Amino acid sequence: MPPKAPAGTRKLSKEEREKLRRLEQERKQREAEEERLREEEEAAAQRALEAEEAARREERRREQQRQRTKQLTATLAVTRQLDLTMELTRGRLREQEEWERMMKCDGLPDPTSVPEMNRYLSLWRADPESATLKGALAKTDQVIHVISELEGVMEENCDATEKQRRDWREIWLELQEAQKEKLDDATYNQLLDLRPHLDLESMVYAFFTSSPLVSLALWSNTTRSPKNNSHEVKELGFTFTLPEDLAEAECVVRVMRTEYDHYSKFARTYNSPDVPEPDCSLLEAEDPDEEAAPAEEQEKQQAEGGKDKEKGEEGEKMGGPPVTAKKSKPPHFTETAYGELNLRRYRIQGGVYTIDLLEVPPQPRVLAECTITQVEEVCSVSRVHWVAQYNPPAAPEAAGQRRRDPEAVEQEMRQLERELQKLLLITIKLPDSAFWFEPPQMVLWDEQKRCWSNEYFQDVKYNEDQCVMQVRTTRLGVMGLAMNRFANLPFQNWELKPLGPGSVSLTLIAAVVVADFTITEGQVCLANLQDGARTALSHLYGKPMKPNILIKTLQFYGINLFPDRDSYCYIDGLPTKHRPTEQHLYRCLAFVAPALHFAWSRWNLLAGQTKLVFQMKTKKLSADDTQTGQPLVLVTPQKTSILECTEISQAFSTADEEESKYYADLYQLVLGEMGDSVRQTVQEASPVFIHTIHHVLKSASVISYC
């Protein structure tokens, strides 16, 4: 039963209860309306606050853009003044070099003068002394020097006319062809009489001579005995074993090694692809979103690649064929045909070997009191064409197809051995004139295809401990040892620091070697080079050179620390950066390097394409400073700032130390943040000194290759 109402209370009527319900409903409506009005007021206030913040951000962006334009214009003015000064300086340097060349009176031609070069070529061709082997080898050093100077003229004179370039190239080609002809003619004259170097017991002819740039060995089995089919040229570390058909042939084997390479420059892959350089002026990049597009596009491509990989794995799980993601090749990548050596990835190292067979010229006949010698119309070598009749065995069937009969396997091995015996066996001790960081490839110059090819070699073996390569070849001709150009790239670390007035040091810690360079006004020298535990190339220490000359010298020894524009195509895991930003940074680093110390940062690798990170060491670390580290500098296409995080921070952060200050580039940051002494050192640096630092930094590309 329902409880009874308390005494003294009256039961509400239906109308009263309805009235109370309406009052409660009206109260709730009022509260809801008040809440709505309050929320609208708060939303309006929030919108006003956001609009105010957006306006402040837009004003700050516009102010930064104004500062950016003003600062970059100021930096550009300094850069243009530097370039103008350098152009005038280069003109004076050329005049000085011409004067010094005239004062030498060494008989060498001016490489810029086509008439002088033609006269030199004509006199050389008519010189009877250069027809002998001794004379030809003695002249080689001078000729190679002239060719090298002419190549420097062709590379450096950007303002030359098309006719000048065409004339220089014609002389350049003729000099190289004449050098080959002189060596051939001298070899022929040496072979006119085998008697002085003939072993009367074995009747084997063996001759060797050398100069700083050319080594020549001649050998002939005059009795054509099958037993005499092998010869070792100890001076070259070169041994060959002739197949049966050549051991019984009447010919001379010539092994000639030249320190220079006159073949690679004619290969299709010698020069990088002609891809237009992007505009490296940061003044054009005003929209931050537009500048960030390359990085966003890269992330998008990486995401799509991940999706493709997931699809491939899913397809394999379903039992279907794997789906491979199509990886687009960079525009600078050079495609090659089958067997063609890509000289953008490899370099012919340690000189060039010419291994050919020559006909024996008519030998003198000794009579009672006279010697009769037959004179030929063409007094030059005649080559014997030889191609091995090699039939390579069929490729074995895939493993697991069927169980192979041991007797069949043994028969195939015997057949392979018989076929290999038809080839010329060559053993080469790698020359000490170059560094060999990994096993090289043996290649042969294909004159018809105009390329180095590796398709003519079989049974390749390499003894790493003794640095000895053994191969069998189906053809003879010009051969070379191809070495990977990027054995020392990317860098593990780099450091740029001032040494004193007019001198800075650049240290490159590469994959194998550690190199220290000293950069001065107009010149750079190798200060130290460590190859593991040993010191290398000490004869170059402290020897000032032009940057281009030093780079080529190191490459000659097999040390490539200065990548080309397309080198990134052949190195995995590089943090390739936004090209205009990186190039502008090298300019700024060159401006301030005489006063400040910079170094590699571990954060640079994964920071992204448009974020360039490095250390700026403004002071020496004390015991207390080791806990905080040195400041990091972040350079983007929009600005340059000092970061709150350091090299030893737990995580990378792009937050600025001082948001109120804006700097468009490193040069403006240093002028605005550093002391008077730093600014004075920066402003007093010689334009030639700054230009040299920039040249070396740009060539090393330490930001993208570390």
mmCIF file of all heavy atoms in Angstrom, residues 549-592:
data_model
loop_
_atom_site.group_PDB
_atom_site.id
_atom_site.type_symbol
_atom_site.label_atom_id
_atom_site.label_comp_id
_atom_site.label_asym_id
_atom_site.label_seq_id
_atom_site.Cartn_x
_atom_site.Cartn_y
_atom_site.Cartn_z
ATOM 1 N N ILE A 549 93.823 21.149 -58.342
ATOM 2 C CA ILE A 549 95.015 20.315 -58.517
ATOM 3 C C ILE A 549 95.132 19.303 -57.382
ATOM 4 O O ILE A 549 95.444 18.125 -57.603
ATOM 5 C CB ILE A 549 96.282 21.187 -58.593
ATOM 6 C CG1 ILE A 549 96.180 22.173 -59.765
ATOM 7 C CG2 ILE A 549 97.515 20.319 -58.732
ATOM 8 C CD1 ILE A 549 96.065 21.509 -61.118
ATOM 9 N N LEU A 550 94.863 19.745 -56.149
ATOM 10 C CA LEU A 550 94.946 18.830 -55.015
ATOM 11 C C LEU A 550 93.898 17.729 -55.119
ATOM 12 O O LEU A 550 94.181 16.555 -54.845
ATOM 13 C CB LEU A 550 94.773 19.597 -53.707
ATOM 14 C CG LEU A 550 94.810 18.738 -52.436
ATOM 15 C CD1 LEU A 550 96.141 18.014 -52.316
ATOM 16 C CD2 LEU A 550 94.537 19.565 -51.203
ATOM 17 N N ILE A 551 92.690 18.085 -55.531
ATOM 18 C CA ILE A 551 91.628 17.087 -55.684
ATOM 19 C C ILE A 551 92.033 16.027 -56.703
ATOM 20 O O ILE A 551 91.886 14.822 -56.471
ATOM 21 C CB ILE A 551 90.308 17.778 -56.090
ATOM 22 C CG1 ILE A 551 89.779 18.631 -54.933
ATOM 23 C CG2 ILE A 551 89.267 16.746 -56.514
ATOM 24 C CD1 ILE A 551 88.600 19.499 -55.298
ATOM 25 N N LYS A 552 92.559 16.455 -57.848
ATOM 26 C CA LYS A 552 92.987 15.512 -58.880
ATOM 27 C C LYS A 552 94.170 14.668 -58.410
ATOM 28 O O LYS A 552 94.255 13.475 -58.737
ATOM 29 C CB LYS A 552 93.359 16.272 -60.158
ATOM 30 C CG LYS A 552 92.176 16.871 -60.888
ATOM 31 C CD LYS A 552 92.619 17.570 -62.172
ATOM 32 C CE LYS A 552 91.428 18.136 -62.928
ATOM 33 N NZ LYS A 552 91.847 18.822 -64.176
ATOM 34 N N THR A 553 95.067 15.281 -57.642
ATOM 35 C CA THR A 553 96.224 14.538 -57.133
ATOM 36 C C THR A 553 95.780 13.415 -56.202
ATOM 37 O O THR A 553 96.257 12.276 -56.298
ATOM 38 C CB THR A 553 97.186 15.483 -56.401
ATOM 39 O OG1 THR A 553 97.609 16.515 -57.298
ATOM 40 C CG2 THR A 553 98.399 14.738 -55.883
ATOM 41 N N LEU A 554 94.853 13.721 -55.292
ATOM 42 C CA LEU A 554 94.351 12.690 -54.382
ATOM 43 C C LEU A 554 93.606 11.601 -55.144
ATOM 44 O O LEU A 554 93.724 10.411 -54.825
ATOM 45 C CB LEU A 554 93.445 13.322 -53.325
ATOM 46 C CG LEU A 554 94.131 14.224 -52.298
ATOM 47 C CD1 LEU A 554 93.108 14.854 -51.369
ATOM 48 C CD2 LEU A 554 95.166 13.451 -51.504
ATOM 49 N N GLN A 555 92.831 11.983 -56.154
ATOM 50 C CA GLN A 555 92.125 10.994 -56.950
ATOM 51 C C GLN A 555 93.088 10.089 -57.710
ATOM 52 O O GLN A 555 92.821 8.901 -57.891
ATOM 53 C CB GLN A 555 91.174 11.696 -57.924
ATOM 54 C CG GLN A 555 89.973 12.331 -57.251
ATOM 55 C CD GLN A 555 89.102 13.109 -58.213
ATOM 56 O OE1 GLN A 555 89.512 13.413 -59.338
ATOM 57 N NE2 GLN A 555 87.900 13.438 -57.789
ATOM 58 N N PHE A 556 94.219 10.653 -58.144
ATOM 59 C CA PHE A 556 95.231 9.844 -58.824
ATOM 60 C C PHE A 556 95.714 8.717 -57.918
ATOM 61 O O PHE A 556 95.958 7.598 -58.378
ATOM 62 C CB PHE A 556 96.407 10.732 -59.243
ATOM 63 C CG PHE A 556 97.593 9.968 -59.757
ATOM 64 C CD1 PHE A 556 97.615 9.492 -61.051
ATOM 65 C CD2 PHE A 556 98.687 9.706 -58.934
ATOM 66 C CE1 PHE A 556 98.709 8.779 -61.537
ATOM 67 C CE2 PHE A 556 99.783 9.001 -59.403
ATOM 68 C CZ PHE A 556 99.793 8.533 -60.709
ATOM 69 N N TYR A 557 95.820 8.997 -56.627
ATOM 70 C CA TYR A 557 96.258 7.977 -55.674
ATOM 71 C C TYR A 557 95.097 7.108 -55.168
ATOM 72 O O TYR A 557 95.317 6.255 -54.307
ATOM 73 C CB TYR A 557 96.959 8.632 -54.486
ATOM 74 C CG TYR A 557 98.306 9.213 -54.832
ATOM 75 C CD1 TYR A 557 98.486 10.583 -54.946
ATOM 76 C CD2 TYR A 557 99.405 8.392 -55.058
ATOM 77 C CE1 TYR A 557 99.729 11.121 -55.265
ATOM 78 C CE2 TYR A 557 100.646 8.919 -55.382
ATOM 79 C CZ TYR A 557 100.794 10.286 -55.485
ATOM 80 O OH TYR A 557 102.029 10.805 -55.811
ATOM 81 N N GLY A 558 93.907 7.326 -55.683
ATOM 82 C CA GLY A 558 92.774 6.494 -55.304
ATOM 83 C C GLY A 558 92.004 6.990 -54.109
ATOM 84 O O GLY A 558 91.212 6.246 -53.525
ATOM 85 N N ILE A 559 92.204 8.248 -53.721
ATOM 86 C CA ILE A 559 91.509 8.809 -52.560
ATOM 87 C C ILE A 559 90.546 9.885 -53.048
ATOM 88 O O ILE A 559 90.961 10.974 -53.435
ATOM 89 C CB ILE A 559 92.512 9.393 -51.551
ATOM 90 C CG1 ILE A 559 93.437 8.281 -51.055
ATOM 91 C CG2 ILE A 559 91.792 10.046 -50.384
ATOM 92 C CD1 ILE A 559 94.545 8.760 -50.170
ATOM 93 N N ASN A 560 89.272 9.559 -53.044
ATOM 94 C CA ASN A 560 88.247 10.484 -53.519
ATOM 95 C C ASN A 560 87.443 10.989 -52.329
ATOM 96 O O ASN A 560 86.601 10.266 -51.781
ATOM 97 C CB ASN A 560 87.324 9.792 -54.526
ATOM 98 C CG ASN A 560 86.283 10.741 -55.089
ATOM 99 O OD1 ASN A 560 86.479 11.957 -55.087
ATOM 100 N ND2 ASN A 560 85.176 10.211 -55.555
ATOM 101 N N LEU A 561 87.728 12.214 -51.911
ATOM 102 C CA LEU A 561 87.026 12.836 -50.789
ATOM 103 C C LEU A 561 86.157 14.000 -51.233
ATOM 104 O O LEU A 561 85.595 14.700 -50.390
ATOM 105 C CB LEU A 561 88.043 13.328 -49.748
ATOM 106 C CG LEU A 561 88.971 12.257 -49.158
ATOM 107 C CD1 LEU A 561 89.997 12.906 -48.241
ATOM 108 C CD2 LEU A 561 88.180 11.207 -48.409
ATOM 109 N N PHE A 562 86.052 14.189 -52.538
ATOM 110 C CA PHE A 562 85.316 15.339 -53.064
ATOM 111 C C PHE A 562 84.321 14.845 -54.110
ATOM 112 O O PHE A 562 84.678 14.646 -55.270
ATOM 113 C CB PHE A 562 86.295 16.357 -53.652
ATOM 114 C CG PHE A 562 87.277 16.877 -52.640
ATOM 115 C CD1 PHE A 562 88.499 16.248 -52.441
ATOM 116 C CD2 PHE A 562 86.963 17.974 -51.862
ATOM 117 C CE1 PHE A 562 89.400 16.711 -51.499
ATOM 118 C CE2 PHE A 562 87.863 18.447 -50.911
ATOM 119 C CZ PHE A 562 89.080 17.818 -50.722
ATOM 120 N N PRO A 563 83.068 14.616 -53.712
ATOM 121 C CA PRO A 563 82.076 14.032 -54.619
ATOM 122 C C PRO A 563 81.667 14.976 -55.738
ATOM 123 O O PRO A 563 81.788 16.201 -55.622
ATOM 124 C CB PRO A 563 80.889 13.733 -53.692
ATOM 125 C CG PRO A 563 81.050 14.697 -52.556
ATOM 126 C CD PRO A 563 82.524 14.880 -52.375
ATOM 127 N N ASP A 564 81.173 14.374 -56.824
ATOM 128 C CA ASP A 564 80.634 15.148 -57.940
ATOM 129 C C ASP A 564 79.145 15.401 -57.719
ATOM 130 O O ASP A 564 78.543 14.907 -56.758
ATOM 131 C CB ASP A 564 80.853 14.391 -59.254
ATOM 132 C CG ASP A 564 82.328 14.280 -59.599
ATOM 133 O OD1 ASP A 564 83.054 15.255 -59.389
ATOM 134 O OD2 ASP A 564 82.749 13.204 -60.068
ATOM 135 N N ARG A 565 78.556 16.136 -58.641
ATOM 136 C CA ARG A 565 77.149 16.504 -58.503
ATOM 137 C C ARG A 565 76.231 15.288 -58.472
ATOM 138 O O ARG A 565 75.203 15.298 -57.808
ATOM 139 C CB ARG A 565 76.751 17.425 -59.684
ATOM 140 C CG ARG A 565 75.288 17.855 -59.683
ATOM 141 C CD ARG A 565 74.995 18.777 -58.522
ATOM 142 N NE ARG A 565 73.598 19.136 -58.459
ATOM 143 C CZ ARG A 565 72.703 18.510 -57.722
ATOM 144 N NH1 ARG A 565 73.058 17.484 -56.968
ATOM 145 N NH2 ARG A 565 71.445 18.893 -57.691
ATOM 146 N N ASP A 566 76.628 14.203 -59.172
ATOM 147 C CA ASP A 566 75.763 13.027 -59.268
ATOM 148 C C ASP A 566 76.194 11.890 -58.355
ATOM 149 O O ASP A 566 75.628 10.800 -58.428
ATOM 150 C CB ASP A 566 75.742 12.521 -60.709
ATOM 151 C CG ASP A 566 77.115 12.104 -61.199
ATOM 152 O OD1 ASP A 566 78.107 12.579 -60.629
ATOM 153 O OD2 ASP A 566 77.201 11.306 -62.139
ATOM 154 N N SER A 567 77.160 12.119 -57.470
ATOM 155 C CA SER A 567 77.673 11.024 -56.638
ATOM 156 C C SER A 567 76.606 10.450 -55.712
ATOM 157 O O SER A 567 76.664 9.273 -55.352
ATOM 158 C CB SER A 567 78.877 11.508 -55.826
ATOM 159 O OG SER A 567 79.951 11.872 -56.668
ATOM 160 N N TYR A 568 75.647 11.254 -55.309
ATOM 161 C CA TYR A 568 74.610 10.773 -54.399
ATOM 162 C C TYR A 568 73.792 9.629 -54.999
ATOM 163 O O TYR A 568 73.181 8.845 -54.270
ATOM 164 C CB TYR A 568 73.682 11.923 -54.007
ATOM 165 C CG TYR A 568 72.729 12.347 -55.090
ATOM 166 C CD1 TYR A 568 71.430 11.853 -55.140
ATOM 167 C CD2 TYR A 568 73.112 13.248 -56.082
ATOM 168 C CE1 TYR A 568 70.546 12.241 -56.139
ATOM 169 C CE2 TYR A 568 72.256 13.632 -57.079
ATOM 170 C CZ TYR A 568 70.967 13.121 -57.102
ATOM 171 O OH TYR A 568 70.093 13.498 -58.105
ATOM 172 N N CYS A 569 73.787 9.526 -56.336
ATOM 173 C CA CYS A 569 73.020 8.472 -57.000
ATOM 174 C C CYS A 569 73.576 7.082 -56.700
ATOM 175 O O CYS A 569 72.868 6.087 -56.861
ATOM 176 C CB CYS A 569 73.014 8.684 -58.517
ATOM 177 S SG CYS A 569 72.323 10.247 -59.067
ATOM 178 N N TYR A 570 74.822 7.005 -56.276
ATOM 179 C CA TYR A 570 75.494 5.715 -56.123
ATOM 180 C C TYR A 570 75.882 5.420 -54.679
ATOM 181 O O TYR A 570 76.620 4.479 -54.424
ATOM 182 C CB TYR A 570 76.746 5.691 -57.017
ATOM 183 C CG TYR A 570 76.453 6.136 -58.425
ATOM 184 C CD1 TYR A 570 76.784 7.418 -58.861
ATOM 185 C CD2 TYR A 570 75.802 5.294 -59.325
ATOM 186 C CE1 TYR A 570 76.491 7.840 -60.147
ATOM 187 C CE2 TYR A 570 75.507 5.714 -60.611
ATOM 188 C CZ TYR A 570 75.851 6.978 -61.013
ATOM 189 O OH TYR A 570 75.547 7.395 -62.289
ATOM 190 N N ILE A 571 75.391 6.223 -53.732
ATOM 191 C CA ILE A 571 75.684 6.018 -52.318
ATOM 192 C C ILE A 571 74.366 5.939 -51.565
ATOM 193 O O ILE A 571 73.547 6.858 -51.640
ATOM 194 C CB ILE A 571 76.558 7.156 -51.751
ATOM 195 C CG1 ILE A 571 77.845 7.311 -52.565
ATOM 196 C CG2 ILE A 571 76.893 6.910 -50.289
ATOM 197 C CD1 ILE A 571 78.682 8.502 -52.156
ATOM 198 N N ASP A 572 74.158 4.855 -50.830
ATOM 199 C CA ASP A 572 72.913 4.674 -50.086
ATOM 200 C C ASP A 572 72.985 5.405 -48.742
ATOM 201 O O ASP A 572 74.057 5.543 -48.139
ATOM 202 C CB ASP A 572 72.656 3.183 -49.829
ATOM 203 C CG ASP A 572 72.415 2.423 -51.122
ATOM 204 O OD1 ASP A 572 71.893 3.040 -52.074
ATOM 205 O OD2 ASP A 572 72.745 1.222 -51.180
ATOM 206 N N GLY A 573 71.815 5.854 -48.278
ATOM 207 C CA GLY A 573 71.705 6.423 -46.942
ATOM 208 C C GLY A 573 72.212 7.831 -46.778
ATOM 209 O O GLY A 573 72.512 8.251 -45.656
ATOM 210 N N LEU A 574 72.324 8.581 -47.870
ATOM 211 C CA LEU A 574 72.819 9.952 -47.759
ATOM 212 C C LEU A 574 71.708 10.912 -47.331
ATOM 213 O O LEU A 574 70.575 10.809 -47.805
ATOM 214 C CB LEU A 574 73.371 10.421 -49.101
ATOM 215 C CG LEU A 574 74.814 10.065 -49.446
ATOM 216 C CD1 LEU A 574 75.161 10.669 -50.792
ATOM 217 C CD2 LEU A 574 75.775 10.553 -48.397
ATOM 218 N N PRO A 575 72.021 11.880 -46.466
ATOM 219 C CA PRO A 575 71.024 12.890 -46.109
ATOM 220 C C PRO A 575 71.030 14.046 -47.101
ATOM 221 O O PRO A 575 71.312 15.187 -46.750
ATOM 222 C CB PRO A 575 71.502 13.340 -44.727
ATOM 223 C CG PRO A 575 72.990 13.235 -44.812
ATOM 224 C CD PRO A 575 73.269 12.050 -45.705
ATOM 225 N N THR A 576 70.771 13.757 -48.387
ATOM 226 C CA THR A 576 70.839 14.815 -49.400
ATOM 227 C C THR A 576 69.923 15.978 -49.023
ATOM 228 O O THR A 576 68.766 15.778 -48.684
ATOM 229 C CB THR A 576 70.454 14.272 -50.783
ATOM 230 O OG1 THR A 576 69.220 13.561 -50.683
ATOM 231 C CG2 THR A 576 71.523 13.331 -51.302
ATOM 232 N N LYS A 577 70.450 17.159 -49.117
ATOM 233 C CA LYS A 577 69.762 18.348 -48.629
ATOM 234 C C LYS A 577 69.257 19.221 -49.772
ATOM 235 O O LYS A 577 69.621 19.045 -50.930
ATOM 236 C CB LYS A 577 70.718 19.160 -47.739
ATOM 237 C CG LYS A 577 71.222 18.395 -46.515
ATOM 238 C CD LYS A 577 70.102 18.016 -45.565
ATOM 239 C CE LYS A 577 70.620 17.305 -44.340
ATOM 240 N NZ LYS A 577 69.567 16.981 -43.370
ATOM 241 N N HIS A 578 68.407 20.166 -49.398
ATOM 242 C CA HIS A 578 67.851 21.139 -50.335
ATOM 243 C C HIS A 578 69.005 21.912 -50.970
ATOM 244 O O HIS A 578 69.761 22.619 -50.290
ATOM 245 C CB HIS A 578 66.918 22.083 -49.577
ATOM 246 C CG HIS A 578 66.239 23.086 -50.452
ATOM 247 N ND1 HIS A 578 66.434 24.437 -50.317
ATOM 248 C CD2 HIS A 578 65.364 22.931 -51.478
ATOM 249 C CE1 HIS A 578 65.708 25.081 -51.210
ATOM 250 N NE2 HIS A 578 65.051 24.187 -51.921
ATOM 251 N N ARG A 579 69.166 21.756 -52.273
ATOM 252 C CA ARG A 579 70.368 22.212 -52.967
ATOM 253 C C ARG A 579 70.636 23.720 -52.803
ATOM 254 O O ARG A 579 71.737 24.118 -52.415
ATOM 255 C CB ARG A 579 70.248 21.836 -54.446
ATOM 256 C CG ARG A 579 71.398 22.284 -55.326
ATOM 257 C CD ARG A 579 72.576 21.376 -55.214
ATOM 258 N NE ARG A 579 73.586 21.711 -56.214
ATOM 259 C CZ ARG A 579 74.824 21.272 -56.171
ATOM 260 N NH1 ARG A 579 75.207 20.463 -55.219
ATOM 261 N NH2 ARG A 579 75.689 21.619 -57.099
ATOM 262 N N PRO A 580 69.675 24.616 -53.077
ATOM 263 C CA PRO A 580 69.972 26.052 -52.931
ATOM 264 C C PRO A 580 70.370 26.429 -51.507
ATOM 265 O O PRO A 580 71.281 27.236 -51.307
ATOM 266 C CB PRO A 580 68.666 26.729 -53.362
ATOM 267 C CG PRO A 580 67.980 25.730 -54.227
ATOM 268 C CD PRO A 580 68.325 24.398 -53.650
ATOM 269 N N THR A 581 69.685 25.828 -50.517
ATOM 270 C CA THR A 581 70.012 26.147 -49.126
ATOM 271 C C THR A 581 71.421 25.693 -48.780
ATOM 272 O O THR A 581 72.182 26.420 -48.129
ATOM 273 C CB THR A 581 68.999 25.474 -48.185
ATOM 274 O OG1 THR A 581 67.674 25.855 -48.559
ATOM 275 C CG2 THR A 581 69.236 25.879 -46.740
ATOM 276 N N GLU A 582 71.783 24.500 -49.213
ATOM 277 C CA GLU A 582 73.111 23.969 -48.922
ATOM 278 C C GLU A 582 74.200 24.810 -49.581
ATOM 279 O O GLU A 582 75.211 25.140 -48.948
ATOM 280 C CB GLU A 582 73.215 22.517 -49.392
ATOM 281 C CG GLU A 582 74.558 21.878 -49.096
ATOM 282 C CD GLU A 582 74.662 20.458 -49.629
ATOM 283 O OE1 GLU A 582 73.720 20.005 -50.314
ATOM 284 O OE2 GLU A 582 75.690 19.809 -49.367
ATOM 285 N N GLN A 583 73.999 25.182 -50.847
ATOM 286 C CA GLN A 583 75.012 25.961 -51.551
ATOM 287 C C GLN A 583 75.180 27.339 -50.923
ATOM 288 O O GLN A 583 76.298 27.854 -50.814
ATOM 289 C CB GLN A 583 74.639 26.090 -53.033
ATOM 290 C CG GLN A 583 74.643 24.774 -53.781
ATOM 291 C CD GLN A 583 75.979 24.056 -53.655
ATOM 292 O OE1 GLN A 583 77.026 24.612 -53.946
ATOM 293 N NE2 GLN A 583 75.946 22.799 -53.234
ATOM 294 N N HIS A 584 74.072 27.942 -50.485
ATOM 295 C CA HIS A 584 74.165 29.250 -49.825
ATOM 296 C C HIS A 584 74.878 29.118 -48.479
ATOM 297 O O HIS A 584 75.645 30.011 -48.079
ATOM 298 C CB HIS A 584 72.765 29.832 -49.627
ATOM 299 C CG HIS A 584 72.761 31.226 -49.078
ATOM 300 N ND1 HIS A 584 73.073 32.330 -49.834
ATOM 301 C CD2 HIS A 584 72.520 31.691 -47.821
ATOM 302 C CE1 HIS A 584 73.003 33.420 -49.089
ATOM 303 N NE2 HIS A 584 72.679 33.059 -47.858
ATOM 304 N N LEU A 585 74.653 28.003 -47.789
ATOM 305 C CA LEU A 585 75.311 27.787 -46.500
ATOM 306 C C LEU A 585 76.827 27.718 -46.664
ATOM 307 O O LEU A 585 77.573 28.252 -45.831
ATOM 308 C CB LEU A 585 74.788 26.504 -45.853
ATOM 309 C CG LEU A 585 75.503 26.063 -44.570
ATOM 310 C CD1 LEU A 585 75.418 27.137 -43.491
ATOM 311 C CD2 LEU A 585 74.923 24.752 -44.054
ATOM 312 N N TYR A 586 77.315 27.059 -47.721
ATOM 313 C CA TYR A 586 78.759 26.987 -47.934
ATOM 314 C C TYR A 586 79.357 28.379 -48.128
ATOM 315 O O TYR A 586 80.474 28.664 -47.687
ATOM 316 C CB TYR A 586 79.074 26.098 -49.141
ATOM 317 C CG TYR A 586 78.748 24.639 -48.918
ATOM 318 C CD1 TYR A 586 78.199 23.864 -49.928
ATOM 319 C CD2 TYR A 586 78.977 24.039 -47.684
ATOM 320 C CE1 TYR A 586 77.888 22.528 -49.721
ATOM 321 C CE2 TYR A 586 78.669 22.707 -47.471
ATOM 322 C CZ TYR A 586 78.123 21.951 -48.489
ATOM 323 O OH TYR A 586 77.818 20.635 -48.282
ATOM 324 N N ARG A 587 78.604 29.254 -48.798
ATOM 325 C CA ARG A 587 79.045 30.647 -48.938
ATOM 326 C C ARG A 587 79.193 31.288 -47.562
ATOM 327 O O ARG A 587 80.194 31.924 -47.246
ATOM 328 C CB ARG A 587 78.020 31.425 -49.755
ATOM 329 C CG ARG A 587 78.125 31.241 -51.248
ATOM 330 C CD ARG A 587 79.183 32.155 -51.828
ATOM 331 N NE ARG A 587 79.055 32.265 -53.273
ATOM 332 C CZ ARG A 587 79.874 32.973 -54.015
ATOM 333 N NH1 ARG A 587 80.867 33.641 -53.459
ATOM 334 N NH2 ARG A 587 79.716 33.032 -55.324
ATOM 335 N N CYS A 588 78.161 31.109 -46.733
ATOM 336 C CA CYS A 588 78.171 31.734 -45.409
ATOM 337 C C CYS A 588 79.253 31.144 -44.516
ATOM 338 O O CYS A 588 79.914 31.868 -43.764
ATOM 339 C CB CYS A 588 76.794 31.565 -44.759
ATOM 340 S SG CYS A 588 75.463 32.436 -45.623
ATOM 341 N N LEU A 589 79.432 29.812 -44.586
ATOM 342 C CA LEU A 589 80.501 29.188 -43.806
ATOM 343 C C LEU A 589 81.864 29.752 -44.200
ATOM 344 O O LEU A 589 82.726 29.980 -43.347
ATOM 345 C CB LEU A 589 80.482 27.675 -44.009
ATOM 346 C CG LEU A 589 79.434 26.883 -43.227
ATOM 347 C CD1 LEU A 589 79.368 25.442 -43.731
ATOM 348 C CD2 LEU A 589 79.732 26.902 -41.732
ATOM 349 N N ALA A 590 82.054 29.968 -45.491
ATOM 350 C CA ALA A 590 83.322 30.531 -45.955
ATOM 351 C C ALA A 590 83.524 31.943 -45.412
ATOM 352 O O ALA A 590 84.643 32.331 -45.052
ATOM 353 C CB ALA A 590 83.362 30.535 -47.481
ATOM 354 N N PHE A 591 82.449 32.728 -45.335
ATOM 355 C CA PHE A 591 82.552 34.091 -44.812
ATOM 356 C C PHE A 591 83.014 34.106 -43.360
ATOM 357 O O PHE A 591 83.826 34.943 -42.961
ATOM 358 C CB PHE A 591 81.202 34.811 -44.917
ATOM 359 C CG PHE A 591 80.867 35.290 -46.301
ATOM 360 C CD1 PHE A 591 79.583 35.153 -46.812
ATOM 361 C CD2 PHE A 591 81.819 35.880 -47.106
ATOM 362 C CE1 PHE A 591 79.262 35.582 -48.086
ATOM 363 C CE2 PHE A 591 81.521 36.320 -48.373
ATOM 364 C CZ PHE A 591 80.235 36.166 -48.864
ATOM 365 N N VAL A 592 82.468 33.187 -42.543
ATOM 366 C CA VAL A 592 82.691 33.265 -41.088
ATOM 367 C C VAL A 592 83.724 32.262 -40.585
ATOM 368 O O VAL A 592 84.092 32.300 -39.407
ATOM 369 C CB VAL A 592 81.357 33.056 -40.333
ATOM 370 C CG1 VAL A 592 80.353 34.111 -40.745
ATOM 371 C CG2 VAL A 592 80.787 31.653 -40.585
#
